[in-house]
Amino acid sequence: AALLPRPARGLTDRLYCGRRVCYEVLGVSRQASKAEIARAYRQLARQYHPDRNRGEPASGEGSGAQAAHEKFLLIAAAYETLKDEETRKDYDYMLDHPEEYYRHYYHYYSRRLAPKVDVTIVILVTVCAISVFQFFSWWSSYNEAINYLASVPKYRIQATEIARQQGLLNKTKEKGKNRRSKEEIREEEEEIIKDIIKNKIDIKGGYQKPRIYDILLFQILLAPFYWCKYIVWYCWWIYCFTIKGQEYGVEEKLYIIRRYMKMSQSQFDSLEDHQKETFLERQLWIRENYEVYKQEQEEELKKKMAMDPRWKRYRRWMKNEGPGRLTFIDD
């Protein structure tokens, strides 16, 4: 009697085996091993499989093909519940604590609705796909910038002159079998000019040469290092310029100016050198000077917009027509 399953209260139709106890469905005790549960399931599955009971008439209660099919589904549900250690542990806890109704619902549906694939693998594959797309997209942008610069006469003439000085375009004409067509020679010269442009011109901003450390995957992997580096730098900044009161250097001044302008590092690097020199000459790292400079820029922008004919036409249209006016024409 001690080995028989205890009657459980609080069983519902939507959890596990419904109103039936899964151990009773398989005819095993709560102390049964996984092998005993599997053996009982195989025996009952062979007995109540729909293929073996197909076409049997319903002669009484619990007989017939429909009853055998329902019994088979109940047996399968009981086996699915008891074959897994974690699910069986939750089920045993429900039998012992039927009053914790909502807890049982949560554990049951959280296991049933949980994704079958590891979320970590999904996130890793997604990050890798985004990183690959980033890298090839940046290479495409970089090649577009090189092709554009190779078509600009200013840079093309300079690159051609450098190539001639290095003897890359002054090769002797080939004869015999090694002789190439004019098209092949032209393509080789074009590649030489592009290589010189790549080496001599510093492209910054969105069209700069892509680096593997800038893609999302490496940014995530190196995030702890960057955080530690930032914390060390911030402590050094507080110690040097707040506690000791040292004067700012050029890099520190440019950093403060960039923060005031709310620009990223790549955006600030894309500015011309004479613009940065102007910032330093006007001492824009001082907040008051920067506010004056900002006001001047806003006033200058207003003047440009006032003199722009397109802006004048827009203001004239807004004054006469309006953004959304609806009128009726009286004949």
Side-chain angles (χ1 to χ4, degrees):
L3 295 178
L4 291 177
R6 291 183 297 173
R9 299 176 181 178
L11 298 178
T12 60
D13 295 330
R14 289 174 289 180
L15 298 181
Y16 303 106
C17 298
R19 299 284 180 177
R20 299 286 302 276
V21 179
C22 294
Y23 293 102
E24 294 179 353
V25 173
L26 295 180
V28 296
S29 65
R30 288 186 60 172
Q31 290 75 27
S33 62
K34 293 182 66 174
E36 294 173 346
I37 293 173
R39 184 165 54 251
Y41 166 73
R42 287 193 295 269
Q43 293 176 356
L44 294 172
R46 284 195 298 268
Q47 180 181 353
Y48 291 98
H49 198 278
D51 293 341
R52 297 192 60 179
N53 297 273
R54 185 179 301 172
E56 292 187 4
S59 58
E61 183 179 356
S63 61
Q66 182 64 26
H69 178 69
E70 295 177 358
K71 181 70 174 179
F72 180 79
L73 294 179
L74 182 62
I75 293 169
Y79 179 67
E80 289 293 328
T81 301
L82 301 180
K83 73 175 184 178
D84 183 69
E85 292 293 337
E86 296 296 328
T87 308
R88 183 178 179 181
K89 183 178 178 180
D90 292 340
Y91 183 71
D92 290 342
Y93 187 86
M94 187 187 74
L95 295 179
D96 296 333
H97 304 85
E99 69 279 358
E100 299 182 14
Y101 184 77
Y102 296 104
R103 182 182 187 278
H104 306 323
Y105 255 91
Y106 169 75
H107 282 280
Y108 176 76
Y109 283 104
S110 63
R111 292 189 183 279
R112 286 179 63 89
L113 300 177
K116 303 302 181 182
V117 182
D118 191 0
V119 179
T120 306
I121 298 177
V122 176
I123 295 175
L124 181 60
V125 172
T126 304
V127 171
C128 292
I130 294 174
S131 302
V132 171
F133 175 78
Q134 273 184 330
F135 189 73
F136 284 102
S137 176
W138 288 344
W139 263 113
S140 177
S141 300
Y142 177 71
N143 290 329
E144 288 179 4
I146 295 299
N147 293 333
Y148 170 75
L149 294 176
S151 63
V152 176
K154 173 184 175 181
Y155 301 111
R156 188 176 185 86
I157 293 173
Q158 294 179 5
T160 304
E161 187 64 25
I162 294 173
R164 287 174 179 171
Q165 292 176 1
Q166 295 178 357
L168 300 176
L169 299 180
N170 298 329
K171 297 181 179 180
T172 57
K173 295 184 178 180
E174 300 170 348
K175 298 180 180 180
K177 296 181 179 179
N178 297 327
R179 186 176 181 180
R180 295 176 298 173
S181 62
K182 293 182 179 180
E183 185 66 25
E184 293 176 346
I185 296 174
R186 191 180 301 110
E187 291 179 357
E188 182 182 2
E189 292 178 352
E190 189 70 21
E191 291 298 326
I192 292 173
I193 292 173
K194 290 181 179 180
D195 290 338
I196 293 175
I197 292 176
K198 290 178 182 179
N199 296 327
K200 296 296 181 180
I201 295 182
D202 184 18
I203 303 176
K204 297 179 180 179
Y207 293 94
Q208 65 183 0
K209 187 175 182 179
R211 297 179 302 175
I212 194 171
Y213 295 105
D214 293 334
I215 63 176
L216 180 61
L217 178 61
F218 281 90
Q219 289 292 314
I220 294 175
L221 294 177
L222 297 176
F225 169 74
Y226 290 144
W227 274 106
C228 294
K229 185 179 178 181
Y230 175 77
I231 291 173
V232 172
W233 172 86
Y234 186 75
C235 295
W236 169 83
W237 183 282
I238 295 297
Y239 174 74
C240 292
F241 303 112
T242 303
I243 298 176
K244 296 184 66 177
Q246 296 181 2
E247 294 185 359
Y248 295 126
V250 176
E251 295 296 331
E252 290 76 18
K253 293 176 182 178
L254 292 176
Y255 169 76
I256 296 174
I257 295 172
R258 180 175 67 83
R259 291 295 300 271
Y260 285 162
M261 293 183 174
K262 298 180 180 180
M263 300 175 65
S264 64
Q265 186 65 49
S266 59
Q267 290 175 332
F268 194 76
D269 292 340
S270 61
L271 298 177
E272 299 292 339
D273 293 336
H274 67 86
Q275 291 179 292
K276 298 179 182 178
E277 292 176 0
T278 304
F279 297 158
L280 295 174
E281 291 174 0
R282 299 196 57 173
Q283 298 181 354
L284 296 187
W285 67 87
I286 302 175
R287 188 72 185 188
E288 292 77 10
N289 296 343
Y290 174 73
E291 293 297 336
V292 174
Y293 172 80
K294 181 180 178 182
Q295 188 68 24
E296 292 176 357
Q297 293 297 312
E298 292 177 355
E299 294 294 333
E300 185 178 353
L301 180 60
K302 291 180 180 178
K303 292 180 181 179
K304 289 182 179 179
M305 294 178 65
M307 298 301 295
D308 190 357
R310 291 177 299 178
W311 177 247
K312 289 182 179 180
R313 288 195 300 269
Y314 173 74
R315 287 188 300 172
R316 191 163 49 248
W317 175 79
M318 288 292 293
K319 180 180 179 181
N320 298 330
E321 303 295 335
R325 180 176 297 178
L326 178 64
T327 59
F328 290 92
I329 300 177
D330 297 329
D331 292 334

